Amino acid sequence: MQPEASSLPMGYSYVQQWLAIRALATALPTGWTLVIREHPYTFLWNADIESVRTMEFYESMRSLPNVALAPLEADPFDLIDECESVATLTGTVGIQSLCRGKPVIAFGSAPYLGCPGVFFVKGIEQIRAALKKIQAGKSELTTQKFYQYISWVESVSIEGVSEESCWDGNDIEIWADAKTKLWERLIKLQNDPPATMFSEHRPKSQT
């Protein structure tokens, strides 16, 4: 989606998503097809903001070799189940794919980069290398490793509040209490990190 933080700034140099699409199309193994599914909210969310997508944007994608556009009504889970891998900047579709046993190519700062089966890529050669491993079945994504990763995520997650949990989103006492709990939890994690195989993803001490 654009405009949104998931693409700018978290998409890094691929904030213009056509660049990611062109890179993928260039790196595809022989016989593979890149199927693109647009986010439906592109045409529904913030309708008062001028769209950053033009007809030329979609026509340029369709003109690329081995690229197809999926209908907006296409079931994303059907597409995931039928594909070899999913590519995204930072989208939720990445964790959805991992849940369904499919490796992920991520172009940006996705929150699940540390999960086995996720390939963080910065250029065409890294995309080719990732696709080669995926094609050979060497993505390192297994059900056991995925559950271990999710267990690690849960062990280092912090309970807080969301804006929706406050009546008006401006309850100072609720937010102050949430921040206190957050810092207490962070201090506890720093002093007593969870003993899991994914503990190496824990940020190092800052002074």
Side-chain angles (χ1 to χ4, degrees):
M1 291 178 61
Q2 287 179 310
E4 191 181 64
S6 61
S7 53
L8 178 64
M10 293 173 65
Y12 296 147
S13 58
Y14 289 97
V15 58
Q16 171 47 274
Q17 295 177 47
W18 189 85
L19 297 175
I21 292 166
R22 183 181 64 178
L24 281 166
T26 301
L28 281 181
T30 302
W32 283 37
T33 299
L34 174 61
V35 179
I36 302 170
R37 182 180 185 272
E38 179 63 284
H39 198 304
Y41 266 31
T42 297
F43 306 104
L44 299 175
W45 182 66
N46 279 350
D48 57 326
I49 297 178
E50 185 175 354
S51 175
V52 298
R53 300 277 198 264
T54 64
M55 184 60 69
E56 289 74 20
F57 175 80
Y58 297 103
E59 289 176 347
S60 66
M61 289 192 300
R62 193 170 57 178
S63 68
L64 293 169
N66 303 321
V67 172
L69 299 180
L72 283 177
E73 62 271 17
D75 188 320
F77 297 117
D78 286 345
L79 293 176
I80 293 171
D81 291 342
E82 294 297 323
C83 77
E84 296 292 335
S85 175
V86 165
T88 180
L89 297 190
T90 62
T92 305
V93 69
I95 195 68
Q96 292 171 340
S97 303
L98 294 167
C99 286
R100 302 175 84 86
K102 294 300 174 76
V104 174
I105 293 174
F107 288 87
S109 182
Y112 41 79
L113 285 183
C115 184
V118 178
F119 298 88
F120 174 50
V121 296
K122 297 181 180 180
I124 291 179
E125 291 308 314
Q126 289 184 346
I127 297 172
R128 285 198 177 106
L131 288 171
K132 185 176 181 180
K133 286 186 177 181
I134 292 169
Q135 191 175 27
K138 297 179 180 179
S139 70
E140 298 185 1
L141 176 61
T142 65
T143 301
Q144 181 183 10
K145 286 185 177 181
F146 179 69
Y147 284 159
Q148 288 174 324
Y149 173 77
I150 293 299
S151 176
W152 170 77
V153 170
E154 187 175 22
S155 71
V156 297
S157 294
I158 299 167
E159 183 177 357
V161 297
S162 65
E163 185 173 345
E164 290 77 12
S165 66
C166 300
W167 286 107
D168 58 4
N170 295 305
D171 193 316
I172 302 301
E173 291 184 4
I174 291 178
W175 284 107
D177 182 59
K179 286 185 177 181
T180 300
K181 290 180 179 178
L182 172 66
W183 283 109
E184 289 175 348
R185 178 67 170 143
L186 285 172
I187 292 170
K188 184 178 185 301
L189 285 173
Q190 189 69 43
N191 296 333
D192 185 24
T196 72
M197 65 174 291
F198 290 100
S199 60
E200 64 267 21
H201 295 290
R202 182 174 58 87
K204 296 182 179 178
S205 300
Q206 299 287 329
T207 56

